[in-house]
């Protein structure tokens, strides 16, 4: 779920809502009662975050945690303004594609000593996630959760069309064929949602075609290679066949909402939708998930949210204590038991599976074996934000895929060339 940042100046007022609440200076933890703010962007996860905060407060009565939730459309611009102006929350969620710009700017609290002093074993987290929050050998966030991708599908729509459910034997052609059979224009139903989605969509198919997205040293992209074009064409072919809503329709109503509204039968995306879909009484018994299809090989990108701290916090020692708790077993167990999200901490995932037994969520854990880290080279948020600009003509059938891919590759490489 990637979106462009809203102009920072428009969010100055909102940024004040995230101001660290405790005034004065602090040279270390003390018996003084202080309040730390903890920001996130998910209303679905807020109850669990509050439960985690309450557990921390029980063990640390001198520290109060104020959980704050902002809409995704406001989160990043508000954080950007707050970090630049000294009003950022103390603790907040971070994504790998935004991380480097904050780390390079000195706006994140260095947690390297916290990891050592608390004897935090970083091997308990998926390496792809923990590595995403390391910069110049220092740790700036502790993994909160992780995600891989699968095929979310509507069993009722499959049954109505007489189509076999997806399973681990499916390849690309199986998806194409099923999407066509599932599409029923008279009922306003499409076989699949095919938006310009990197993390849930074309990154995975490029990898499945044998591509690499970004080369190992982070200096060039792979979108115009034969594998890159094949991975993009998987999606443009679905659009051309009429098996997906158009980009205009997907702009008016997000793909996940169309899936929830039972207008699309398949939606490639991550584990993070599980709780939202499970809580929907119209979907709970109609929805399930299967592995992504195989191309030349099986592959999915993986990433996860990191809990980070603001370097300008007035209470850094208390903040480090809270962040260490967020990275521990108790916080992970709460997330899992409530079904909130797939926790990053090794050995705490089973309660998440048990919380939603109607879904075959083991698919997401099994996918770790063939997962590839989400590419975050250079200013990732900048070059990823160019995808819609350069790829829309191909999705709309107005430009050959290879031409759009080459133009996008050139634009991405220009961003990667920046120091």
């Amino acid at each position: 779920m990637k979106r462009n940042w809203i102009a920072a100046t428009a969010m100055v007022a909102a940024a004040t809502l995230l101001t660290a609440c405790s005034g004065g200076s602090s040279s270390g933890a003390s018996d003084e009662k202080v309040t730390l703010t903890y920001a996130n962007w998910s209303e679905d996860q807020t109850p669990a975050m509050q439960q985690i905060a309450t557990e921390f407060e029980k063990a640390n009565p001198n520290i109060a945690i104020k959980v704050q939730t902002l809409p995704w459309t406001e989160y990043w611009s508000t954080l950007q303004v707050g970090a630049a102006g000294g009003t950022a929350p103390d603790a907040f969620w971070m994504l790998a594609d935004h991380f480097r710009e904050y780390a390079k700017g000195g706006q994140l609290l260095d947690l390297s000593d916290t990891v050592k002093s608390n004897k935090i074993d970083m091997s308990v987290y998926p390496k792809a996630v923990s590595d995403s929050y390391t910069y110049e050998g220092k740790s700036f966030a502790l993994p909160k959760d992780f995600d891989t991708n699968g095929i979310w599908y509507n069993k009722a729509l499959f049954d109505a069309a007489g189509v076999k459910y997806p399973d681990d034997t499916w390849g690309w052609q199986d998806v194409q064929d099923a999407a066509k059979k599932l599409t029923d224009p008279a009922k306003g139903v499409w076989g699949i949602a095919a938006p310009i989605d990197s993390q849930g969509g074309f990154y995975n198919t490029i990898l499945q075609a044998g591509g690499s997205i970004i080369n190992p040293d982070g200096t060039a992209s792979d979108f115009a290679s034969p594998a890159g074009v094949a991975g993009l064409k998987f999606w443009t072919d679905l659009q051309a066949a009429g098996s997906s809503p158009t980009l205009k329709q997907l702009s008016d109503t997000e793909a996940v909402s169309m899936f929830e509204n039972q207008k699309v039968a398949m939606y490639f995306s991550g584990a993070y939708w599980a709780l939202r879909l499970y809580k929907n009484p119209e979907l709970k018994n109609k929805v399930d998930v299967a592995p992504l299809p195989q191309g030349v090989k099986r592959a999915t990108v993986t990433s996860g949210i990191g809990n980070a701290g603001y370097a300008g916090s007035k209470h850094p020692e208390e903040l480090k204590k809270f962040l260490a708790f967020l990275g521990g077993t108790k916080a992970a167990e709460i997330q899992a038991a409530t079904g909130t999200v797939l926790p990053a901490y090794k050995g705490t995932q089973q309660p998440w599976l048990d919380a939603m037994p109607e879904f075959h969520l083991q698919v997401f854990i099994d996918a770790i074996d063939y997962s590839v880290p989400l590419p975050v080279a250079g200013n990732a948020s900048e070059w990823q934000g160019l995808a819609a600009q350069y790829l829309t003509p191909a999705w709309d059938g107005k430009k050959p895929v290879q031409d759009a891919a080459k133009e996008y590759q050139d634009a991405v490489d220009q961003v990667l060339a920046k120091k």
Side-chain angles (χ1 to χ4, degrees):
M1 296 188 300
K2 308 293 186 246
R3 295 183 174 90
N4 292 335
W5 287 11
I6 299 171
T9 53
M11 295 308 306
V12 172
T16 60
L17 296 175
L18 294 178
T19 304
C21 296
S22 52
S25 60
S26 175
S27 58
S30 69
D31 293 332
E32 175 192 2
K33 182 83 172 183
V34 301
T35 298
L36 301 176
T37 49
Y38 178 34
N40 72 83
W41 60 72
S42 172
E43 291 185 3
D44 288 335
Q45 293 196 42
T46 296
M49 298 307 103
Q50 186 59 64
Q51 188 175 338
I52 290 169
T54 299
E55 285 297 315
F56 175 78
E57 291 171 337
K58 288 179 182 177
N60 300 274
N62 65 313
I63 307 174
I65 305 298
K66 184 177 181 181
V67 177
Q68 298 177 319
T69 304
L70 281 177
W72 172 265
T73 52
E74 299 177 7
Y75 185 87
W76 292 106
S77 53
T78 302
L79 183 60
Q80 183 184 34
V81 171
T87 60
D90 296 287
F92 46 86
W93 288 1
M94 178 54 62
L95 286 178
D97 56 354
H98 292 282
F99 162 72
R100 286 174 178 259
E101 292 306 300
Y102 284 89
K104 285 169 61 178
Q107 296 164 327
L108 300 181
L109 191 67
D110 182 359
L111 300 179
S112 301
D113 291 340
T114 302
V115 170
K116 292 179 182 178
S117 62
N118 287 272
K119 297 181 180 179
I120 297 173
D121 180 5
M122 297 301 289
S123 70
V124 301
Y125 309 116
K127 189 173 186 301
V129 181
S130 58
D131 285 355
S132 296
Y133 297 111
T134 301
Y135 180 70
E136 294 185 344
K138 299 177 181 179
S139 296
F140 288 95
L142 294 177
K144 169 187 171 294
D145 53 44
F146 76 96
D147 54 77
T148 54
N149 294 286
I151 306 175
W152 288 105
Y153 65 96
N154 186 307
K155 294 184 289 185
L157 293 178
F158 271 74
D159 291 343
V163 178
K164 175 188 171 186
Y165 299 159
D167 59 29
D168 62 3
T169 68
W170 272 33
W172 285 9
Q173 192 61 51
D174 295 297
V175 175
Q176 303 276 357
D177 293 344
K180 184 177 293 187
K181 293 176 184 177
L182 290 159
T183 299
D184 188 341
K187 295 181 180 179
V189 173
W190 291 270
I192 193 168
I196 299 177
D197 178 4
S198 56
Q199 188 169 341
F202 65 84
Y203 282 179
N204 302 294
T205 48
I206 289 174
L207 292 169
Q208 290 162 13
S212 61
I213 307 174
I214 303 293
N215 67 12
D217 60 7
T219 58
S221 59
D222 196 39
F223 298 110
S225 69
V229 171
L232 294 170
K233 197 170 183 297
F234 173 86
W235 298 99
T236 60
D237 284 351
L238 288 165
Q239 282 284 347
S243 298
S244 166
T246 65
L247 286 185
K248 174 64 168 61
Q249 290 168 319
L250 289 167
S251 175
D252 293 340
T253 306
E254 285 187 316
V256 65
S257 296
M258 281 201 165
F259 183 75
E260 282 190 296
N261 294 335
Q262 303 187 71
K263 296 298 183 182
V264 296
M266 291 183 286
Y267 176 43
F268 287 22
S269 198
Y272 39 78
W273 294 122
L275 183 62
R276 174 169 166 176
L277 298 174
Y278 193 77
K279 288 170 63 178
N280 186 328
E282 295 295 318
L283 292 179
K284 181 177 177 180
N285 296 312
K286 294 180 180 178
V287 165
D288 206 346
V289 66
L292 290 181
Q294 297 186 68
V296 174
K297 63 179 182 178
R298 192 181 292 282
T300 178
V301 291
T302 185
S303 185
I305 294 172
N307 282 306
Y310 178 44
S313 170
K314 294 181 174 65
H315 299 284
E317 297 308 313
E318 289 87 351
L319 176 56
K320 290 175 182 177
K321 199 170 189 179
F322 179 51
L323 290 169
F325 183 83
L326 290 175
T329 55
K330 186 62 178 179
E333 288 167 353
I334 290 172
Q335 291 186 97
T338 55
T340 299
V341 76
L342 184 54
Y345 202 100
K346 185 177 180 179
T348 65
Q349 289 88 25
Q350 188 60 46
W352 181 74
L353 300 176
D354 296 340
M356 295 169 282
E358 291 84 351
F359 297 167
H360 290 88
L361 298 175
Q362 184 66 38
V363 161
F364 294 112
I365 296 177
D366 292 344
I368 296 171
D369 293 339
Y370 52 86
S371 64
V372 177
L374 185 74
V376 294
N379 187 341
S381 62
E382 181 180 352
W383 60 258
Q384 287 178 1
L386 298 173
Q389 175 183 342
Y390 287 95
L391 298 179
T392 292
W395 252 250
D396 287 341
K398 296 178 180 178
K399 181 175 290 189
V401 177
Q402 58 268 30
D403 293 351
K406 181 61 168 65
E407 291 173 5
Y408 182 44
Q409 176 171 292
D410 290 343
V412 171
D413 290 353
Q414 288 181 24
V415 176
L416 293 174
K418 296 178 183 177
K419 301 212 174 170

